[in-house]
Amino acid sequence: MALAANNQKSQEIEAKRQLGMLLSRPFSIIGGAVINWVSNIGAVTIFLFLSLGKIFRSKQLSKIIQQLYYIGARSTTIIMLVSLFTGMVLGLQSYHALVKFGAQGAVGTLVALSLIREMGPVLAAIMITARAGSAITAEIGIQRISEQIDALQTMRIDPLKYLISPKIAASIISFPILTTVFDLIGIIGGYISGVVLLGLNAGTYFHSIQANVEMKDISDGLVKAVVFALIVSTVCCYQGYFAHMRLDGRGAKAVGLSTTSAVVISCVLILISDYIVTSLLI
Amino acid sequence: MNTPLIEFQNVTKRFGSRTILERVNLQLYEGEVTTIIGLSGSGKSLLLKQMIGLILPDEGTILFRGKPLNGMKKTEIGTSFAQMSYMFQDNALFDSMTVYENIALPLQETTNLSRAEIDRRVLVRIEQTELGDAINKFPAELSGGMQKRVALARALINDPQIVLFDEPTSGQDPVRKNAILSMIAQYQRKFGFTAILVSHEIPDVYFISNRILALYDRQIVFQGTPEELENFDHPFKDEVIHSLEALQKELSGLYSKRQFKILNHAQLKRREFGENYCVVIFTLEELNTIMTRLGHDAVQEAIHSMGLYIDKHFGPSGGFSTRHRINEVITMLPYSDIADAQSILLDFIKDFQGKGNNDIWALYRKLVSQEECVELTIMAGVAQGQPLDEIDSVIDAAKSQQKEIGRLQCVERRGVNR
C-alpha cells in the first residue's frame, strides 16, 4: 500500500518535472540564442577594436596600399556599372512620376538626393560586400584552415596586425571614395535618361541639383559609408578568421559557409544600420 | 642532469568531453634531437603546439628553461617563443607568395634589417636548402619534397635555437621520407639547433634521434635513448613499434635493429657448438658527397636499392639484414660458412655492378640533372663466427676485412662499370 502510494507520488513528481521542462524550453532556447548573440557581438567588437588599434603600427602602409588596390581600385568598375544604371532608372522613374504634376524640373534633385543620401552608400556597400567582402572571408578562411595563420603566430607575426588591420583601414578609406564615385556616376546616369533620352533641359537638371543638395547631405552619406565600411570589413574578416570554429562545417565547407554568412550578415547589417544612422543624422 | 629546455608537468588537455593528454610529464634537453612517437591522433602534434604556445593546456605547467610559462611576463614569454620555430605537417606555406617571399616574411615583419641584408640571408638559406631553381615559384608549383625544404628554410631563417617539426615526412614516399629525416639531421649538425620531431617513421627516426618519447594512451610512457627503447617492455611496443617495423621491412628489405637482434638470438640458439655463421658488413663510402651534390633523395635511393639487392641475394640462404649506421648495412648468414658467404657475395657483386648500377642511375637521372655525376664506393667485409662468439666482435672482424667491392658511377658519362 505504502509502496503504491510512493510510486504514484514519484510519477506525479516526474510528470511535474517534464511539464516544467516543456514550459521552460522556449525560454531556454531564447535565452541561449540571446546569450550567443550577445557574446558574438562582444567578440566582434573586441576583434574590431584590437584590429583598429594596430592600423597605425609600423610597416602597415604598404599593406594598406595593397588592400586599397584589392578592395577599392578593383571594385571601381562594378560600382560604376551599377551606379550608371541605378541613376538611369531613377531618372526614368522620377521623370514619369513628376511629369504628371508638371514637376519634371525636379528630376535632378530627386536623383541626386536619393543617391547621395541613401542609394549611393547602401548600394555601393552591398556591391563591395559581394565583390571584395566575400573574397576577404574566403581568403582569410583558407589561410585559417591551412594553418597559415598559425604559422604567422609561430613566426611572432601578429595575424590581426598583418592580415586584418590593413583590410579594415583600406575599407575605411575606399568605401567613401567608392560611394562618391557611385553618386557621381549615378547622377550622370540620371542625366542620360532624363536629359539625353527624355529631353529634359540640361541646365534645369544640374541647377536643381546645385540648388537643393546641401553639404550636409553629402557628409551624411559619407558618414554612412564609413559606418558600412567598419561593418562589412569587420564581419567579413571575423567570419574568415574564425572559420575553423564553426559548428556546422569543417575545412572547405566551413570556408564556404563563412563566406555565405559574411555576405548575408553584412547586407542585413548595412540595411539595419542605415536606418539607425539615418534616424540619428536626420 | 641539466635543467630541461622544455618540461611538461602534469599537463592535461581536453577538447569538450574528450581528454587528449592526461597528466603528461616530459623533459626535452638542449642540443638534442628528440622524437615523439605515437599513433596517429594520439596528441603528438598537440604536444608541439603547446610547446610553442599555439594551444594552452587546461591543467598542469609547462616550464621553459626551468621557468613556468604561466608565471612569466608577456615579454618574457615572447622572448622564449622567439627562440623557437615550427615546421607544420602540411608546411603552411603562404600560397599567394613565392618561395623567396615565404622565406623572407619572418625577417621582413619581425626585424628592422635592410632589404639588402634580408636578400643576403634569404639567398644563403635558399642555397643551403637547394632551392635555387624555385626562388620565384609559388608553393603549388613545387613537389612535396621541395615544399618541405621551403618550410624548413623559412623555419631556419631567424636562426632559431629550437625547431619543432610536426610530422616532417608525412605524405612522402619511403625514399623521400628518409631523405627528409637525413636533411633534418644534417641541418641540425650544421646549425646546432635543438630539434623536436613528431614522427611515426620507426625505426628511421632512431638513426637521427638522441632521445625518443613515446606517447601512448594519453600519456608519455617512455623517455630515453633509442637503445633504451629496445629493452622497453610495454603494450606500446606491440601495438605501435612492431606494426610499423613490419611495414618498414616490406618496403626496404631491411629489418629494424631490434628485430635483427631477436632474429639473430633465435637463430643462434638453434646452432650447436662448432657450427659456423657469417656476418657481412656493407659500407657506402662518399655518402656525404652524394648528399651535397645530388641531394638527400639520391642517398636514400642508394641505401634503399642496396637493401633490396642484399635481400634478394642473401635472403634465400636464410640471411637477414639491418641498417647498422646511416651508411652501413649488416647481413647475418646463420647457416653459411665463410666459403658460402664469399660465394654469395661474389654473385651479389656481379648483379649489383651490372643491373643494380643501371637501376640506381636510372633513378638518379629522375632526381638530378644529367650533368651531375659522383661516384659511390661500396665496401664489404665477411667474417665467420660461432654461436658462443659475441656478435659485436664478429662485426668488428668483418669490418676489418672490408675492401672495395664495387664503384657505382654515372653510366652514360663514363660508359664503364668497374
Side-chain angles (χ1 to χ4, degrees):
Chain A
M1 191 76 172
L3 193 66
N6 267 345
N7 273 344
Q8 196 183 349
K9 201 174 174 186
S10 61
Q11 277 174 4
E12 279 172 18
I13 291 167
E14 179 59 21
K16 278 182 186 170
R17 197 183 66 81
Q18 283 186 358
L19 183 69
M21 274 178 65
L22 199 70
L23 290 173
S24 66
R25 195 148 181 247
F27 295 101
S28 101
I29 291 169
I30 294 166
V34 170
I35 290 168
N36 192 26
W37 183 75
V38 170
S39 66
N40 268 335
I41 295 280
V44 173
T45 311
I46 292 168
F47 182 81
L48 170 64
F49 282 106
L50 284 175
S51 306
L52 282 175
K54 288 165 191 196
I55 288 174
F56 300 103
R57 299 266 180 92
S58 61
K59 301 180 179 179
Q60 290 288 70
L61 188 62
S62 63
K63 290 192 270 294
I64 293 172
I65 291 169
Q66 203 176 29
Q67 290 304 319
L68 270 173
Y69 172 71
Y70 286 116
I71 298 170
R74 293 185 68 174
S75 300
T76 312
T77 314
I78 189 73
I79 289 288
M80 288 170 77
L81 193 71
V82 172
S83 60
L84 181 73
F85 285 97
T86 306
M88 285 175 74
V89 168
L90 268 178
L92 192 66
Q93 290 284 13
S94 53
Y95 177 85
H96 286 293
L98 292 171
V99 79
K100 291 177 186 170
F101 309 100
Q104 61 269 41
V107 166
T109 308
L110 205 148
V111 168
L113 284 180
S114 306
L115 284 168
I116 292 168
R117 285 183 182 177
E118 287 302 328
M119 297 187 77
V122 171
L123 284 179
I126 289 173
M127 290 318 298
I128 302 169
T129 303
R131 206 209 69 84
S134 55
I136 287 173
T137 309
E139 182 188 334
I140 297 173
I142 289 167
Q143 286 176 328
R144 169 61 81 185
I145 62 160
S146 59
E147 292 184 309
Q148 291 175 39
I149 292 178
D150 288 340
L152 287 174
Q153 282 178 289
T154 64
M155 290 183 243
R156 307 291 126 214
I157 300 171
D158 182 350
L160 286 185
K161 180 191 163 204
Y162 183 76
L163 292 174
I164 310 300
S165 295
K167 290 183 170 68
I168 293 180
S171 299
I172 293 171
I173 298 167
S174 56
F175 269 58
I177 296 171
L178 289 171
T179 300
T180 308
V181 171
F182 194 103
D183 294 346
L184 283 172
I185 302 291
I187 290 168
I188 292 168
Y191 173 87
I192 292 169
S193 62
V195 177
V196 179
L197 300 177
L198 297 169
L200 263 179
N201 182 284
T204 310
Y205 182 82
F206 285 115
H207 176 73
S208 71
I209 294 173
Q210 192 189 3
N212 295 302
V213 175
E214 294 173 10
M215 199 59 214
K216 188 179 181 307
D217 299 318
I218 297 168
S219 63
D220 285 359
L222 295 181
V223 167
K224 283 182 182 179
V226 172
V227 172
F228 299 156
L230 286 170
I231 289 170
V232 171
S233 57
T234 310
V235 168
C236 293
C237 290
Y238 181 85
Q239 287 291 330
Y241 198 81
F242 293 105
H244 64 306
M245 292 179 74
R246 291 189 77 93
L247 299 174
D248 51 353
R250 299 257 163 224
K253 191 181 175 196
V255 177
L257 290 168
S258 294
T259 308
T260 308
S261 299
V263 173
V264 173
I265 295 170
S266 296
C267 291
V268 170
L269 287 179
I270 286 167
L271 297 172
I272 294 172
S273 61
D274 182 41
Y275 177 79
I276 296 168
V277 175
T278 305
S279 57
L280 290 173
L281 293 174
I282 211 157
Chain B
M1 204 171 213
N2 296 337
T3 308
L5 177 66
I6 297 169
E7 185 173 5
F8 278 40
Q9 290 179 345
N10 297 318
V11 167
T12 298
K13 182 69 194 173
R14 298 184 193 88
F15 288 108
S17 58
R18 214 158 62 94
T19 304
I20 310 294
L21 301 173
E22 193 169 15
R23 302 180 70 79
V24 165
N25 291 290
L26 64 85
Q27 291 85 36
L28 302 166
Y29 295 95
E30 200 140 19
E32 290 185 340
V33 178
T34 305
T35 304
I36 302 168
I37 57 174
L39 290 172
S40 294
S42 58
K44 302 187 294 292
S45 301
L46 187 60
L47 280 177
L48 284 197
K49 285 182 178 169
Q50 289 182 327
M51 284 175 203
I52 201 165
L54 279 177
I55 293 175
L56 297 175
D58 292 327
E59 288 166 25
T61 312
I62 298 173
L63 294 98
F64 187 80
R65 296 189 203 278
K67 286 181 82 177
L69 283 175
N70 51 13
M72 284 185 189
K73 288 178 189 164
K74 213 174 168 183
T75 49
E76 267 185 296
I77 294 174
T79 314
S80 306
F81 288 156
Q83 300 168 29
M84 294 190 206
S85 240
Y86 193 103
M87 193 173 140
F88 284 81
Q89 186 174 350
D90 296 322
N91 307 320
L93 296 173
F94 297 98
D95 39 22
S96 57
M97 293 183 187
T98 62
V99 166
Y100 176 91
E101 289 165 341
N102 263 287
I103 300 170
L105 184 71
L107 293 179
Q108 287 166 343
E109 288 299 318
T110 60
T111 68
N112 290 318
L113 294 172
S114 66
R115 184 175 283 191
E117 178 60 15
I118 291 174
D119 265 357
R120 192 189 66 75
R121 291 191 187 192
V122 172
L123 292 175
V124 167
R125 283 286 182 264
I126 282 178
E127 196 187 317
Q128 285 165 342
T129 45
E130 301 156 31
L131 287 164
D133 296 337
I135 193 164
N136 291 317
K137 288 187 177 167
F138 289 93
E141 298 172 305
L142 305 177
S143 67
M146 286 176 95
Q147 287 186 13
K148 286 277 173 211
R149 294 212 293 273
V150 178
L152 184 63
R154 188 178 69 180
L156 298 178
I157 193 70
N158 273 334
D159 299 325
Q161 293 171 28
I162 307 150
V163 185
L164 311 179
F165 297 91
D166 189 357
E167 306 241 11
T169 55
S170 68
Q172 307 288 320
D173 60 61
V175 171
R176 206 172 292 274
K177 275 177 186 174
N178 282 329
I180 290 168
L181 291 178
S182 151
M183 183 174 78
I184 290 170
Q186 190 197 9
Y187 291 140
Q188 195 271 336
R189 282 196 300 272
K190 203 169 181 177
F191 303 119
F193 54 78
T194 303
I196 301 163
L197 279 89
V198 156
S199 181
H200 46 237
E201 298 310 325
I202 298 167
D204 304 83
V205 286
Y206 296 169
F207 293 109
I208 66 161
S209 306
N210 303 104
R211 286 180 87 235
I212 301 283
L213 272 63
L215 181 64
Y216 178 76
D217 198 18
R218 292 169 287 174
Q219 292 187 323
I220 293 289
V221 293
F222 173 83
Q223 293 189 66
T225 63
E227 289 75 26
E228 286 165 350
L229 184 63
E230 305 282 316
N231 304 316
F232 176 57
D233 188 20
H234 191 275
F236 172 80
K237 257 182 121 169
D238 292 324
E239 283 186 37
V240 183
I241 297 180
H242 291 183
S243 59
L244 291 169
E245 281 176 341
L247 176 68
Q248 178 71 15
K249 166 70 177 72
E250 286 291 308
L251 294 169
S252 67
L254 301 176
Y255 285 97
S256 74
K257 268 186 176 176
R258 195 186 61 76
Q259 285 175 312
F260 181 83
K261 272 188 188 169
I262 293 167
L263 273 170
N264 189 35
H265 184 66
Q267 295 289 351
L268 293 186
K269 244 179 34 180
R270 291 187 209 154
R271 310 307 308 276
E272 288 173 10
F273 183 73
E275 289 183 316
N276 297 318
Y277 70 88
C278 275
V279 167
V280 189
I281 183 157
F282 298 91
T283 306
L284 291 171
E285 298 285 327
E286 314 298 334
L287 216 58
N288 281 336
T289 316
I290 298 185
M291 210 177 276
T292 316
R293 302 229 348 237
L294 301 186
H296 298 270
D297 290 358
V299 169
Q300 294 309 322
E301 199 60 70
I303 293 166
H304 179 75
S305 302
M306 197 165 90
L308 293 174
Y309 270 88
I310 290 171
D311 198 39
K312 180 181 156 192
H313 285 273
F314 293 87
S317 309
F320 48 90
S321 311
T322 188
R323 201 164 151 189
H324 185 51
R325 292 206 175 83
I326 196 145
N327 63 338
E328 276 180 7
V329 174
I330 295 178
T331 301
M332 169 66 124
L333 289 160
Y335 304 106
S336 306
D337 59 20
I338 192 94
D340 292 341
Q342 277 171 340
S343 158
I344 302 167
L345 185 62
L346 277 174
D347 288 343
F348 166 80
I349 292 167
K350 217 168 151 186
D351 188 25
F352 195 58
Q353 282 188 342
K355 197 166 177 298
N357 195 5
N358 288 332
D359 287 355
I360 291 175
W361 282 109
L363 286 163
Y364 280 5
R365 279 196 294 277
K366 285 185 202 162
L367 300 170
V368 297
S369 72
Q370 292 282 345
E371 290 306 308
E372 290 288 352
C373 189
V374 291
E375 289 183 349
L376 176 66
T377 310
I378 304 168
M379 311 279 284
V382 190
Q384 185 172 280
Q386 292 201 335
L388 290 179
D389 292 342
E390 279 288 324
I391 181 83
D392 288 341
S393 64
V394 185
I395 292 171
D396 289 342
K399 204 158 184 193
S400 67
Q401 297 293 317
Q402 273 194 324
K403 56 186 178 193
E404 186 182 316
I405 61 160
R407 205 174 271 252
L408 283 176
Q409 46 196 193
C410 310
V411 179
E412 286 183 4
R413 282 184 63 179
R414 315 243 168 163
V416 285
N417 301 323
R418 277 198 305 191

